[in-house]
Amino acid sequence: MMTASTKQAESDDESDPDVAAGNGALDSLLQQAPAPKTPEEKRSQLEARVVREIAREFSRGIFYYTHDFDLTRSLQHKHEMLQAFDVHDSGPSTQGAPAPGVPSSNSGSNQGVLNKEPDYSISPLAEPQSNLPLWRRVDRKFWWNEIMVKPFTEAGLHNYVLPVMQGYFQMSTFHVSDPDERMYAPNDQASAPKEISIQYAIISRRSKERAGLRFQRRGIDDDAQVANFVETETVIQVKRQGTWNVLSHVQIRGSIPLFWSQPGLNLKPPPVLDRPREEAMGPLKEHFAEISRIYGPITAVDVAELIGREAVVTAPYREAVEALNGSPDSLRVNFTEFDFHRECAGMHYENIAKLISKLDRTLESQAFFWTSGPVVLCKQKGAFRVNCIDCLDRTNVVMGDFTRTGRRDIGGMLNDGMNSMMRMYSSTFSDYFSQACIDFFLGNRNTTVFSEFLSKLTSTDPKEIIRLSKIRAAAIETSTEMVLYPGEKLIKGWTLLSPYDIGVKVGGNFVEKVLLLSKEALYIVDFDYSMVKVKMYTRIPLGDVLSIQKGAYILSALQEASRTVVDNYGFIINFRPRHSASRVTSYALRNQTDTYRALFDRVGGALKQPSSGYAGTCCTERTDPDYDSYSSDGRGSIVSNVLVEAAMGPNEHLFAAFKALPVEVEREKRADGHDEFVAAHPGLTCKQTVDQIVDTIRKACVPVGSANVPDFIVEADVV
C-alpha cells in the first residue's frame, strides 16, 4: 500500500468539505480569546488562525503522497512518456534538466502500490525519468503544495520536497471463479471451482486550478480552467495463464464551462449566469481543446436539470457546444444530456441504464489501456467528461459510485437532508474562511485575502481579481490614448478610488478613477468601465501642483479591516487650477442622465470660480461624425466636448483625493514577449502603493520646479 495520509476520504472531490471541513474553521473563528491590543498581536492572532486552518485542511485525509512513485499521472500517460523517451529509466526532463548535484532516486521502487511480482521488461508501473527528483516528474496541476515548498525547490533541496496530491485512493482485492476452469473442466468432474484474485484500485486526482469549496467556485475562468476538475483512473490487475494483466480506464469531471456562480446563503442557491454565453466561447473552446489533447476525443455528459432553475446554465451550455461543433474549427465534442433528477425521480436509479445504453457504443470505441506482460494490447482513445451542478452526487453515480450516504432509501434521503442543513450552516460561518486559506496556500492570493475576509466575510475569486486587473490595465491604456496631449508620453498610470467630485474627501459616491502621469501633467480620468470609454477628465500641469499629502484614509470604523491604517491609505494632490482644464466627452453627454448644465456646474463648483465667471467660451469644431468637439481655445479635440478653465486668484487652490487599492496582481513578461497577470507575492499594502505613487509624482515634478519647495510631501491623515 502506498504511503498516504492518515485516513481516507469518502469521495474524491469537495465532497463535503462543507460539513466535515467547515466545523474546524468555525471553531477557530469563534474561539474566545482576549482582544489583541496591538497590530502585532492582531497579526499574530490571524497568522495562528490561518496556520490552524491550513494544518486542518491537510489533515482531512484527502491528501496523498508517495516517496518515489508519481501518483499524478495515469498508467497510459506514463507509458506514452516512456515511448516518447524510448527508455524507461532515464531520459530528458519534461520540466527542465536537473540542477547540478541533484541526487538520483531509486529506479523503479514502486513496491506496494500494486503487486509487482512480475519482472516486466517494460512494466506498466515503470516510472519515466526516475532518475529525477519526484517533484520534477509530477503533473503540476495536481501538485497541491507546490507553492508551500517553493523555497526548497529554488534552493535545490530536493530531498526535502515531497509532492502532495488531493484526491482519493483505495485498493481492494476480491476473488471470482475462474471462467477458464469452468470452460475446460470435464462435465462429469465435480470439484470446487478455482478462484482467481483480482486487485482493484481507484485513484482520483483533483486539480489545484480553480480549486474551491462547494458554492465557492463554479464554472470556468478566463484561463480556461474549470472548477473542481477531477481525473479518476480505475486500475485492475489480474494474473491469467501465468501472465499479469493490467487494465486502466480514465474518466474526468469538471464544472460546466461557462461563467456562472451560486451566490447566496440559502440551502440551495440557484445558479446564476454571470457573463453571457458568447463571452465564454473562447475559454470553453480552449478547455475542450486542452482535454482533447490530453485524453483524446471527448464525450461530454451533462446530468444536470434540463428544465427548472439549473436550466439557466445547462441550456447555454448546450448552445455553446452546438456553436463549437458548428464552427469551421476541426474540434468536435460529443454531447449527451441526461436529466438525472427527472429520469431517476422516486429513487428509480435503474433508469440510469438508459444513459449507459446510450453511451455503450462510445465506451466501446474509447476502449481502455491494457497490458499483458510487457505487451500493450490496447490503449484508451477518448474519455467521458461528466458534470452535474456540483460535480458531486449525480456525477458520482454516472462515474460508477452509486453511494453518496451509503444507501439509497428513505433513511439515506433523511441523511442527505441533514447533510444539506450542515452544509448551509458550515457555509454561512466557515467556508469563506476556508476558501481564503485554500487560495492563500495555493498561491492564488496573498495576505490581503484575509483583510478582505475580515471586512466582508467573503473572499474574491483569484481569477476574478486577475480579470479586474486586466480591465484596469485596459482602462489605463484607453485613457492614455484618448486624453494625453499630443507629444506627451506616459510615465505611469494607476486606478484609484476617489470621490465623484473634485474638492471632496468624504461623503457622496466613491468611484474608481484613472490617474495618469506624464512629464507635463497629471490627468484625473472618469472612466466608464462597462463601456470602456472616457467620460470626463481634468488635466493638471505639473507646475501647478502645490503639495501632496499622504496618510490614513479611513472612511468607516465599523469593521476591523476598514480601520487598519496600512490597508486604508490615500493621498491628496493640492494644485492651482489656473491652467487646469476639464473636458467632458460627447459620449458622456449623450449617455449620462446629467444634463450639460449639471456637468458644467459640477466642474465649475469644484473649481471655486470667482465672480468673474469662466474665462473660456465654447466654440465648435467638427473633426469626426461621432464627436462634437468643443474647445475654448480653438484647438478642438476628438475626445473632448466641453473645456472649462478657471480664472483663479494667485492664492486659490483645489485638491483631489485618492484612496489606494491593494495590489494583488503583477504583470510579468512571458517568453513570447506578451504580458501575463499573476498573483503578486508578496502583494503591496495600500500604504506601500501610496508611497510608490507619491514618490513617482514627486520625481516628475522636480524638473518643473514645483517639488523644490519645503513640505512638498506632507504626512498627515486624509480622513
Side-chain angles (χ1 to χ4, degrees), residues 44 83 113 188 270 311 313 356 370 388 434 440 547 596:
S44 177
Q83 286 185 318
V113 179
D188 57 350
V313 289
I356 302 302
W370 179 10
C388 56
S434 298
F440 177 67
S547 65
Y596 171 88

Side-chain angles (χ1 to χ4, degrees), residues 386-402:
V386 188
N387 73 268
C388 56
I389 288 295
D390 293 316
C391 290
L392 179 60
D393 304 326
R394 287 165 282 182
T395 309
N396 276 339
V397 172
V398 174
M399 296 182 73
D401 182 359
F402 266 78

Side-chain angles (χ1 to χ4, degrees), residues 643-681:
L643 172 65
V644 182
E645 293 187 343
M648 307 288 296
N651 297 322
E652 295 286 347
H653 73 275
L654 189 59
F655 70 86
F658 302 95
K659 190 175 188 291
L661 297 165
V663 176
E664 293 198 62
V665 175
E666 58 189 3
R667 297 174 89 164
E668 292 183 351
K669 284 288 184 183
R670 297 196 313 235
D672 59 7
H674 292 88
D675 286 342
E676 182 177 14
F677 290 79
V678 297
H681 294 280

Side-chain angles (χ1 to χ4, degrees), residues 96-116:
V102 173
S104 296
S105 59
N106 294 328
S107 175
S109 179
N110 309 324
Q111 189 67 34
V113 179
L114 287 171
N115 186 351
K116 279 204 65 192

Side-chain angles (χ1 to χ4, degrees), residues 15 273-274 434 458 474:
S15 114
L273 198 64
D274 297 324
S434 298
T458 61

Side-chain angles (χ1 to χ4, degrees), residues 535 584-597 599 628 630 641-642:
K535 295 191 295 184
V584 181
T585 65
S586 57
Y587 157 77
L589 293 178
R590 288 195 306 265
N591 296 281
Q592 301 301 315
T593 57
D594 302 51
T595 61
Y596 171 88
R597 184 67 241 174
L599 289 168
D628 292 330
Y630 300 93
N641 287 36
V642 181

Side-chain angles (χ1 to χ4, degrees), residues 50 107 179 258 334 357 376 635 684:
V50 173
S107 175
L258 300 174
N334 297 322
S357 176
V376 176
R635 290 176 297 180
L684 297 179

Side-chain angles (χ1 to χ4, degrees), residues 247-538:
L247 302 94
S248 162
H249 187 266
V250 172
Q251 301 176 65
I252 57 177
R253 68 176 69 182
S255 189
I256 293 175
L258 300 174
F259 294 116
W260 65 282
S261 61
Q262 278 185 286
L265 299 176
N266 53 329
L267 188 61
K268 283 191 175 181
V272 175
L273 198 64
D274 297 324
R275 293 158 65 181
R277 171 182 65 81
E278 291 75 15
E279 290 189 24
M281 287 304 299
L284 179 141
K285 178 181 177 181
E286 185 179 346
H287 169 69
F288 277 112
E290 176 64 10
I291 60 177
S292 298
R293 181 188 66 81
I294 297 173
Y295 303 102
I298 298 297
T299 298
V301 182
D302 181 9
V303 295
E305 296 173 351
L306 302 182
I307 57 175
R309 64 179 190 169
E310 292 181 2
V312 72
V313 289
T314 56
Y317 181 28
R318 180 194 320 115
E319 295 166 359
V321 175
E322 289 173 352
L324 178 65
N325 289 334
S327 67
D329 196 283
S330 59
L331 179 63
R332 293 294 181 268
V333 175
N334 297 322
F335 188 73
T336 298
E337 293 178 309
F338 182 79
D339 191 328
F340 185 93
H341 285 166
R342 185 181 64 182
E343 296 287 348
C344 300
M347 296 192 294
H348 288 287
Y349 301 111
E350 68 276 7
N351 289 337
I352 296 174
K354 298 178 182 178
L355 176 62
I356 302 302
S357 176
K358 186 187 298 185
L359 299 176
D360 188 57
R361 290 289 183 89
T362 304
L363 179 60
E364 183 178 342
S365 66
Q366 287 180 1
F368 46 85
F369 180 62
W370 179 10
T371 64
S372 181
V375 180
V376 176
L377 300 179
C378 184
K379 285 189 176 183
Q380 184 174 343
K381 302 175 288 293
F384 291 111
R385 184 201 187 277
V386 188
N387 73 268
C388 56
I389 288 295
D390 293 316
C391 290
L392 179 60
D393 304 326
R394 287 165 282 182
T395 309
N396 276 339
V397 172
V398 174
M399 296 182 73
D401 182 359
F402 266 78
T403 57
R404 169 173 44 168
T405 62
R407 53 185 177 174
R408 287 288 187 178
D409 54 14
I410 298 300
M413 293 179 66
L414 293 175
N415 193 12
D416 289 348
M418 182 60 69
N419 283 344
S420 295
M421 292 298 295
M422 288 300 295
R423 283 170 181 154
M424 183 180 70
Y425 175 78
S426 63
S427 294
T428 302
F429 294 102
S430 64
D431 278 3
Y432 293 115
F433 184 70
S434 298
Q435 184 66 58
C437 291
I438 291 172
D439 289 333
F440 177 67
F441 77 69
L442 287 178
N444 298 326
R445 296 285 304 269
N446 52 41
T447 53
T448 56
V449 68
F450 301 112
S451 299
E452 180 185 11
F453 172 78
L454 292 175
S455 174
K456 303 190 301 185
L457 293 181
T458 61
S459 60
T460 305
D461 186 335
K463 292 302 177 69
E464 182 65 15
I465 292 176
I466 291 178
R467 187 176 80 91
L468 291 176
S469 297
K470 293 179 180 179
I471 291 173
R472 288 165 175 155
I476 292 172
E477 293 174 2
T478 301
S479 298
T480 301
E481 295 173 357
M482 298 296 288
V483 307
L484 252 63
Y485 278 22
E488 290 189 7
K489 292 185 178 181
L490 181 72
I491 296 176
K492 190 71 175 177
W494 306 272
T495 56
L496 301 157
L497 290 177
S498 181
Y500 183 72
D501 293 317
I502 289 179
V504 175
K505 292 188 292 185
V506 294
N509 296 325
F510 272 72
V511 296
E512 194 167 311
K513 296 183 180 180
V514 175
L515 180 64
L516 303 177
L517 173 65
S518 73
K519 291 184 178 181
E520 288 78 22
L522 281 164
Y523 293 81
I524 304 171
V525 182
D526 286 15
F527 195 83
D528 188 328
Y529 286 87
S530 61
M531 299 299 296
V532 196
K533 291 180 178 292
V534 172
K535 295 191 295 184
M536 174 180 176
Y537 74 89
T538 297

